[in-house]
Amino acid sequence: GGPGRATTFLDRGEALFKLLGREPKYFSIPYWVFGVIQGCLDFFAGRDSDAAELGRIGRYYAEESMLVLDPETGLYNEEMTPSYGKTSFLDYLAKVVVEGGQNELKNQQIGTWQLSKSMSSWFAGEADSADQPAMVDA
């Protein structure tokens, strides 16, 4: 997101690892896993719950291209995709690494897992490997 060229999951992952001064480690998750997770969220939390809705949003962004589909070629086209805003996602990542992201994320949570605390710990290198966010690229 933001101004400039569209970025891939890999672009974002490389930028984040570089900002953190860490060796890149990636793994892929097949798309069908999102269906299993969504089914569990719907069953255990309820189809109309916030957790289930967050799961549907996450699945959409993981599976759908954010680029414009060129009707002439039938391919997604980076050059045709408009950009908006004043801060690129990569610039935002740099800011969160430096400032900790506390202002933007302080009230965000998923269930009892508070996003700002977990992300700040991860950026500072204090979190367990189980708490580390994963890069998804299938």
Side-chain angles (χ1 to χ4, degrees):
R5 74 173 193 82
T7 58
T8 65
F9 288 122
L10 185 59
D11 293 334
R12 289 177 235 144
E14 288 174 349
L16 183 57
F17 281 112
K18 184 177 180 181
L19 286 166
L20 296 172
R22 294 187 179 185
E23 184 70 28
K25 295 179 184 177
Y26 301 102
F27 61 92
S28 294
I29 299 173
Y31 289 132
W32 64 264
V33 171
F34 287 96
V36 172
I37 292 169
Q38 189 62 54
C40 291
L41 288 170
D42 289 347
F43 181 78
F44 291 109
R47 182 154 173 73
D48 295 330
S49 70
D50 289 342
E53 182 63 18
L54 183 62
R56 284 188 286 279
I57 292 168
R59 181 178 181 176
Y60 175 83
Y61 281 102
E63 294 181 354
E64 298 296 326
S65 176
M66 299 295 112
L67 302 178
V68 169
L69 183 64
D70 185 339
E72 293 180 19
T73 65
L75 301 172
Y76 292 101
N77 187 313
E78 180 182 328
E79 286 78 33
M80 293 177 71
T81 303
S83 63
Y84 299 96
K86 296 179 181 174
T87 304
S88 74
F89 182 72
L90 299 179
D91 290 340
Y92 173 75
L93 280 179
K95 178 182 176 196
V96 169
V97 168
V98 171
E99 297 177 12
Q102 292 299 310
N103 292 332
E104 293 88 356
L105 303 175
K106 71 177 172 184
N107 294 321
Q108 302 300 314
Q109 68 183 63
I110 302 168
T112 59
W113 186 70
Q114 184 146 2
L115 190 60
S116 63
K117 182 176 180 228
S118 298
M119 292 296 281
S120 294
S121 296
W122 187 74
F123 285 135
E126 300 165 358
D128 284 339
S129 60
D131 292 333
Q132 294 180 3
M135 298 302 301
V136 179
D137 188 16

